[in-house]
């Protein structure tokens, strides 16, 4: 085929003050191709995508569209060439309806006023292309996140996108929503649209990508053709060394019951009561689809949304938990799902974040014990290997993995009996993930009861001693170490019966 | 320290420029006047800084200054036209109402699961309110021993201002109303209440209470020709206490944290509602202290006008002093200097003979300029920090 590639990047470099974010990176994208770009956090993926989408401009190198050099110096210039970036965090106005979102900033007009009729008809056609079957007059905030994602894609298609760049599109989707998205992506490819797909989820990459480009420290680390795409090969290129297949865990002998919930009813959840037990030295995973009520359950245990009914026992004693304060007093700790929203005060220093829950305990008559604060922060930074300039660095400036470690450090300073974690490794790179697993493991070995939610099957299967699977607000079943496999978990998560043998 | 560098520079520049242009500026009399007024406004500004740190706002300060000033004068020096005990009756009834409303809010919040205060405490609060209200009826016969009268009255009006702050805090945290709305209603409500209680009559202390009035008008001779106005001492004490509270205690740390991210702070096991309420209580209490001093200083308190716009001066000083209206940022020293800048500007306009019609325009422009400069410096610093970080990644 003599046709020039749709998009070609040749030796693009981008220097930020003092750091070379992109170092002569090259790649090409064919018509109707799905190209996955992977790499650890900080490898330069985002910068490259921003250059392509006109958000930033490269210092050196060329971007070619249809074989012609193209100066993409603004988002609109990228649009004109059919290149659209869909950000990880969706850029939609929840208070507007689907049609208005699809045509935001490009509303069809008549006599200077918005022509709602035309807009709705055209928007309906657009969303039909991505298999979205809702009314275009629906408010976006009423749609589940997976469908919002489709609205974003429809928006991109409405500007005649030829290249769709998707940054971690599945990070907040359920398995079913992910499947729908994949079907849409494959349809788009068949119709000639090319996709640049960025993901941390290697299983998805393997499933979807025609070709993989791996970036490491700002330069090309390698490329894998369709039949070479394997988990290990990708990891090897990403980290530049061999990593063991997955986390190698040692099973522990569970101790006494540390946390016991008896017939608790989650507010706004299923009417049936939930009971569960977690033992000391045990890691229990909660699997299930997004929306199965896992986060709600854990937030109820932690007192964020106190239980309507039921009893909680920690270490055998009855406790009444109606606020996080009560939960912490009882020996519980929660690493929440959204660390930026609920886990950290981003503009505060590492030290101040680490000390926040333990400040009162360390204080002398309401006066902050600054020496103890510094000491605890220093210990935690060393202990958890938090990469930070010093303990006064603002948490916002840390990488995702290090931010998550700060959240953990907050709680470890309190030595909790029960550690609750909600998607503890979301959006962090492989290296940091493994450190978090090792930490969970170490805590369990030290006698802490660990209860964690995860949407990543590898994680659920890899580190749990026991798995609870939730479906529509109920615990649909429990799987011991011996009965754990992907199929059994999915059966329960989707409402089926476990195939017992 | 870096935070107050800008505002200190601004203060020095304005002082130097005015001194260069007018020989009347740096006279002992004028400087003492500026210090006294800066101190009075500074007290209000320090109060509002706490609220701003938590990400809120208090628009009712001026009206609280008016209410406290009027009731203080009425209780100490009643005008004959009113029936005897009228002042006490009104104050008791206001306080009774506030307590009952607070009990109702708390009850509602408990009912909707926003609060878990014990039922008995609630009942006591309601009963106390009813008792206060009832006590108002017997207030005409309410007479205190002479030596107790003065301290009792002062404490009582301070208690009134504290109650107002608690009420604001409760409405904001337990019912979830927006601070702007709650305190805007407060601004209107307390002003109306003041005018009604005082029947729109100008209140004052006459020629009496000279000892008490020294608190506001007195001066402490330092050298032969310079004396420190007493309010400056009051401000110094309050500012130091506030600085310690904000920077050295867990309460201050919690306020700073929840001002940045209330959810994360609550998830860290901190009862954020409690500290928001505390911030509003401090703010209104300082407005009450300021209100007493303003009343003693002016000695001619018009119910409809006394304290008007003071909340805006206080907020402007706090913002100039480095408080971000987004919350989570603030320095007490900066706020005090901010209040001084406001007063120096005001005074400069007078001594320089600039038409006073332009007063607001000039103050507005200088504040705007100050905030813009601050923003630019901040961006520059952020850029440099990013560059440095990029050079040696952590």
């Amino acid at each position: 085929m003599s046709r020039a590639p749709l998009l070609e990047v040749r030796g693009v470099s981008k220097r930020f003050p003092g750091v070379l974010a992109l170092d002569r990176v090259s790649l090409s994208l064919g018509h109707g191709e799905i190209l996955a770009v992977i790499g650890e956090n900080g490898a330069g993926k985002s910068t490259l995508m921003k250059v392509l989408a006109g958000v930033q401009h490269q210092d050196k190198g060329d971007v070619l569209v249809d074989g012609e050099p193209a100066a993409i110096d603004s988002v609109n210039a990228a649009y004109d060439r059919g290149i659209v970036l869909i950000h990880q965090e969706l850029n939609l106005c929840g208070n507007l309806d689907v049609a208005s979102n699809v045509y935001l900033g490009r509303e069809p007009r008549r006599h200077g006023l918005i022509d709602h009729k035309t807009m709705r008809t055209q928007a309906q056609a657009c969303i039909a292309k991505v298999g979205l079957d809702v009314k275009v007059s629906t408010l976006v905030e009423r749609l589940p996140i997976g469908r919002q994602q489709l609205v974003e894609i429809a928006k991109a298609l409405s500007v005649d996108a030829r290249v769709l760049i998707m940054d971690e599109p599945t990070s907040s989707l359920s398995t079913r929503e992910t499947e729908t998205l994949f079907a849409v992506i494959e349809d788009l490819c068949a119709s000639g649209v090319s996709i640049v797909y960025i993901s941390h989820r290697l299983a998805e990459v393997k499933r979807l990508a025609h070709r993989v480009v791996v970036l490491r420290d700002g330069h090309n680390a390698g490329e894998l053709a369709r039949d070479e795409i394997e988990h290990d090969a990708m990891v090897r290129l990403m980290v530049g060394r061999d990593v063991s297949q997955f986390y190698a865990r040692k099973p522990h002998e569970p101790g006494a019951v540390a946390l016991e919930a008896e017939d608790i009813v989650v507010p706004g959840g299923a009417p049936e009561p939930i009971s569960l037990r977690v033992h000391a030295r045990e890691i229990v995973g909660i699997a299930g689809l997004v929306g199965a009520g896992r986060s709600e359950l854990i937030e109820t245990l932690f007192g964020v949304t106190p239980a309507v009914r039921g009893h909680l026992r920690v270490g055998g004693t009855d406790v009444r938990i109606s606020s996080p304060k009560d939960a912490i007093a009882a020996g519980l700790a929660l690493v929440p799902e959204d660390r930026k929203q609920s886990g950290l005060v981003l503009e505060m220093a590492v030290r101040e974040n680490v000390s926040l829950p333990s400040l009162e305990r360390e204080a002398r008559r309401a006066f902050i014990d600054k020496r103890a604060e510094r000491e605890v922060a220093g210990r935690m930074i060393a202990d958890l290997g938090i990469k930070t300039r010093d303990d006064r660095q603002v948490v916002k400036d840390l990488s995702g993995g290090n931010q998550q470690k700060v959240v953990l450090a907050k709680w470890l300073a309190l030595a909790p009996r029960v550690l609750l974690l909600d998607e503890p490794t979301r959006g962090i790179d492989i290296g940091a993930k493994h450190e978090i697993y090792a930490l969970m493991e170490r805590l369990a070995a030290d006698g802490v009861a660990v209860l964690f939610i995860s949407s990543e099957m590898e994680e659920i299967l890899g580190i749990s001693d026991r798995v609870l699977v939730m479906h529509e607000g109920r615990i649909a079943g429990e799987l011991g170490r011996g009965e754990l496999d992907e199929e059994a978990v999915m059966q329960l998560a989707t409402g089926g019966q476990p195939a017992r043998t | 320290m870096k935070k107050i560098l800008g505002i200190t520079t601004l203060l020095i520049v304005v002082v130097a420029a005015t001194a260069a242009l007018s020989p009347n500026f740096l006279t002992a009399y004028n400087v003492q006047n500026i210090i006294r007024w800066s101190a009075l406004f500074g007290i209000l500004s320090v109060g509002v800084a706490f609220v701003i740190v938590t990400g809120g706002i208090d628009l009712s300060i001026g009206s609280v200054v008016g209410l406290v000033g009027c009731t203080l004068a009425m209780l100490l020096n009643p005008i004959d036209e009113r029936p005897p005990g009228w002042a006490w009756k009104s104050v008791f009834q206001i306080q009774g109402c506030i307590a009952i409303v607070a009990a109702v809010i708390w009850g509602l919040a408990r009912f909707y699961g926003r609060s878990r205060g014990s039922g008995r405490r609630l009942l006591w609060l309601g009963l106390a309110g009813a008792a206060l209200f009832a006590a108002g009826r017997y207030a005409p016969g309410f007479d205190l021993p002479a030596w107790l009268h003065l301290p009792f009255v002062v404490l009582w009006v301070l208690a009134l201002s504290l109650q107002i702050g608690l009420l604001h805090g409760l409405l904001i945290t337990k019912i979830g109303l927006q601070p702007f709305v709650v305190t805007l209603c407060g601004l209107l409500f307390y002003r109306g209440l003041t005018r009604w209680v005082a029947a729109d009559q100008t209140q004052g202390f006459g020629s009496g209470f000279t000892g008490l009035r020294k608190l506001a008008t007195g001066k402490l001779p330092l050298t032969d020709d310079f004396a420190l106005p007493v309010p400056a001492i009051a401000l110094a004490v309050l500012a130091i206490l506030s600085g310690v509270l904000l920077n050295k205690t867990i309460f201050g740390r919690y306020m700073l944290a929840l001002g940045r991210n209330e959810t994360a702070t609550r998830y860290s096991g901190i009862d954020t509602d409690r500290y928001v309420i505390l911030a509003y209580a401090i703010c209104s209490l300082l407005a009450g202290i300021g209100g007493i001093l303003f009343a003693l200083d002016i000695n001619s308190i018009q119910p409809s006008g006394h304290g008007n716009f003071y909340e805006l001066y206080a907020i402007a000083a706090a913002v100039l002093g480095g408080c971000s209206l987004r919350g989570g940022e603030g320095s007490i020293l900066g706020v005090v200097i901010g209040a001084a800048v406001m007063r120096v500007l005001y005074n400069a306009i007078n001594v320089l003979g600039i038409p006073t019609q332009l007063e607001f325009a000039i103050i507005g422009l200088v504040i705007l300029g100050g905030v813009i400069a601050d923003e630019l410096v901040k961006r520059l610093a952020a850029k440099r920090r990013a560059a440095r970080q990029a050079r040696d990644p952590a």
Side-chain angles (χ1 to χ4, degrees), chain B residues 116-170:
Chain B
R116 354 165 254 125
S118 82
R120 190 172 295 165
R121 256 195 342 224
L122 258 173
L123 193 66
W124 281 121
L125 185 65
L127 281 178
L132 273 168
F133 200 85
R137 281 193 56 123
Y138 300 100
F142 187 76
D143 220 355
L144 282 168
W147 63 271
L148 203 60
H149 192 243
L150 187 68
F152 188 75
V153 166
V154 170
L155 281 180
W156 208 254
V157 292
L158 287 181
L160 174 64
S161 62
L162 188 65
Q163 264 188 311
I164 287 173
L166 290 171
L167 181 68
H168 291 164
L170 277 177

Side-chain angles (χ1 to χ4, degrees), chain B residues 207-232:
Chain B
S207 50
F209 302 100
T210 43
L212 185 64
R213 292 196 53 220
K214 279 269 186 303
L215 277 179
T217 56
K219 283 171 193 163
L220 213 66
L222 290 184
T223 62
D224 288 345
D225 35 43
F226 188 82
L228 190 66
V230 177

Side-chain angles (χ1 to χ4, degrees), chain B residues 252-267:
Chain B
R253 175 67 65 79
Y254 291 167
M255 285 183 206
L256 287 163
L258 78 90
R260 301 269 198 193
N261 187 344
E262 181 171 357
T263 314
T265 311
R266 199 172 54 245
Y267 273 66

Side-chain angles (χ1 to χ4, degrees), chain A residues 366, chain B residues 46-47 49-51 54 58 161-162 164-170 172-173 245-246 249-255 258 271-286:
Chain B
V46 168
F50 279 97
V51 165
T54 65
D58 190 346
S161 62
L162 188 65
I164 287 173
L166 290 171
L167 181 68
H168 291 164
L170 277 177
I172 288 159
T173 56
L245 183 70
L246 188 63
T249 69
I250 53 173
F251 308 126
R253 175 67 65 79
Y254 291 167
M255 285 183 206
L258 78 90
D271 185 352
T272 50
D273 284 0
R274 180 185 293 178
Y275 299 99
V276 171
I277 295 175
L278 179 65
Y280 283 91
I282 292 173
C283 180
S284 291
L285 181 63
L286 287 180

Side-chain angles (χ1 to χ4, degrees), chain A residues 224-453:
Chain A
L224 297 169
R226 172 107 220 178
D227 51 356
E228 300 168 326
I229 304 176
E230 289 299 335
H231 182 276
D232 288 357
M234 288 190 278
V235 171
R236 210 158 31 235
L237 285 175
M238 275 163 71
V239 295
R241 64 192 143 89
D242 265 309
V243 211
S244 58
Q245 171 66 17
F246 196 68
Y247 193 72
R249 73 177 307 284
K250 327 168 210 41
H252 295 285
E253 197 56 41
V257 179
L259 172 71
E260 186 174 12
E262 197 183 310
D263 296 331
I264 59 162
V265 175
V266 176
E272 296 93 340
I274 295 177
S275 298
L276 62 87
R277 281 176 174 193
V278 189
H279 299 80
R281 285 201 294 283
E282 188 181 34
I283 299 181
V284 178
I286 304 183
L289 305 178
V290 171
R294 296 173 300 169
S295 297
E296 290 79 356
L297 170 64
I298 243 176
E299 297 210 320
T300 295
L301 294 176
F302 195 63
V304 177
T305 49
V308 182
R309 258 186 285 142
H311 300 284
L312 280 172
R313 272 186 289 276
V314 177
T317 14
D318 278 300
V319 286
R320 195 169 155 248
I321 292 181
S322 52
S323 71
K325 193 182 164 106
D326 296 342
I328 292 164
L332 269 57
L334 169 68
V335 175
E337 182 176 16
D338 185 345
R339 62 175 165 268
K340 291 181 181 167
Q341 181 62 40
S342 336
L344 296 165
V345 184
L346 284 177
E347 297 87 355
M348 280 186 140
V350 172
R351 182 204 291 174
E352 292 166 328
N353 269 287
V354 170
S355 68
L356 200 53
S358 48
L359 209 56
E360 196 164 351
R361 213 169 280 196
E362 300 281 345
R364 284 168 311 186
R365 288 210 196 133
F367 281 89
I368 298 169
D369 184 344
K370 299 231 167 163
R371 191 182 307 163
E373 190 185 12
R374 254 198 312 276
E375 192 264 320
V376 170
R379 187 154 47 86
M380 285 299 156
I381 289 171
D383 197 16
L384 302 188
I386 301 172
K387 289 199 193 85
T388 169
R389 202 171 55 237
D390 57 37
D391 65 354
R392 279 156 64 191
Q393 175 138 356
V394 174
V395 170
K396 194 163 59 174
D397 297 340
L398 300 181
S399 71
N402 280 304
Q403 288 184 351
Q404 192 69 315
K405 286 189 201 164
V406 174
V407 180
L408 277 159
K410 274 170 68 167
W411 299 120
L412 298 194
L414 284 176
R417 298 173 86 133
V418 181
L419 180 63
L420 311 169
L421 305 101
D422 194 347
E423 304 282 4
T425 63
R426 169 168 295 173
I428 66 182
D429 62 47
I430 281 198
K433 269 186 188 179
H434 280 236
E435 288 180 73
I436 303 245
Y437 299 147
L439 193 66
M440 288 164 69
E441 188 74 38
R442 197 182 87 196
L443 288 170
D446 288 348
V448 177
V450 179
L451 180 64
F452 79 104
I453 295 176

Side-chain angles (χ1 to χ4, degrees), chain B residues 17-316:
Chain B
T18 318
L21 290 172
S22 165
N24 300 329
F25 181 68
L26 282 185
T27 58
Y29 175 77
N30 196 41
V31 171
Q32 284 166 17
N33 240 347
I34 293 176
I35 291 180
R36 190 156 51 89
W37 281 86
S38 300
L40 292 173
F41 279 103
I43 292 172
L44 306 184
S45 308
V46 168
V48 83
F50 279 97
V51 165
I52 293 177
V53 157
T54 65
I57 196 83
D58 190 346
L59 299 177
S60 72
I61 293 171
S63 295
V64 171
V65 166
L67 178 65
V68 165
C70 264
T71 45
L72 178 76
M74 286 173 69
L75 291 173
L76 288 178
N77 186 29
I79 298 174
D80 297 337
E81 289 163 33
R82 286 272 163 177
W86 164 262
W88 278 115
K89 183 179 167 188
S90 323
V91 172
F92 275 37
Q93 289 188 344
I94 294 169
Q95 290 182 310
C97 286
I98 293 178
I100 292 168
V101 171
V104 170
I105 296 170
W106 229 317
L108 283 175
R110 237 171 82 81
F111 185 74
Y112 290 110
R114 273 286 287 176
S115 167
R116 354 165 254 125
S118 82
R120 190 172 295 165
R121 256 195 342 224
L122 258 173
L123 193 66
W124 281 121
L125 185 65
L127 281 178
L132 273 168
F133 200 85
R137 281 193 56 123
Y138 300 100
F142 187 76
D143 220 355
L144 282 168
W147 63 271
L148 203 60
H149 192 243
L150 187 68
F152 188 75
V153 166
V154 170
L155 281 180
W156 208 254
V157 292
L158 287 181
L160 174 64
S161 62
L162 188 65
Q163 264 188 311
I164 287 173
L166 290 171
L167 181 68
H168 291 164
L170 277 177
L171 284 165
I172 288 159
T173 56
K174 302 299 179 193
I175 311 240
L177 300 180
Q178 289 172 344
F180 192 97
V181 177
V182 168
T183 58
L184 177 65
C185 294
L187 174 136
L188 299 169
F189 183 72
Y190 308 130
R191 179 62 61 191
L193 208 59
T194 311
R195 293 181 60 182
W196 173 73
V197 169
D200 249 349
Q201 306 245 339
T202 302
Q203 306 290 328
F205 305 93
S207 50
F209 302 100
T210 43
L212 185 64
R213 292 196 53 220
K214 279 269 186 303
L215 277 179
T217 56
K219 283 171 193 163
L220 213 66
L222 290 184
T223 62
D224 288 345
D225 35 43
F226 188 82
L228 190 66
V230 177
I233 300 167
L235 173 69
V237 171
L238 290 171
I240 289 170
L241 287 178
S242 301
V244 168
L245 183 70
L246 188 63
N247 298 312
K248 304 277 176 199
T249 69
I250 53 173
F251 308 126
R253 175 67 65 79
Y254 291 167
M255 285 183 206
L256 287 163
L258 78 90
R260 301 269 198 193
N261 187 344
E262 181 171 357
T263 314
T265 311
R266 199 172 54 245
Y267 273 66
S268 299
I270 291 146
D271 185 352
T272 50
D273 284 0
R274 180 185 293 178
Y275 299 99
V276 171
I277 295 175
L278 179 65
Y280 283 91
I282 292 173
C283 180
S284 291
L285 181 63
L286 287 180
I289 295 175
I292 290 177
L293 294 177
F294 271 113
L296 293 172
D297 183 58
I298 292 174
N299 197 15
S300 163
I301 304 136
Q302 286 178 330
S304 60
H306 181 65
N308 271 351
F309 287 128
Y310 284 12
E311 61 280 336
L312 298 184
Y313 298 142
I315 293 166

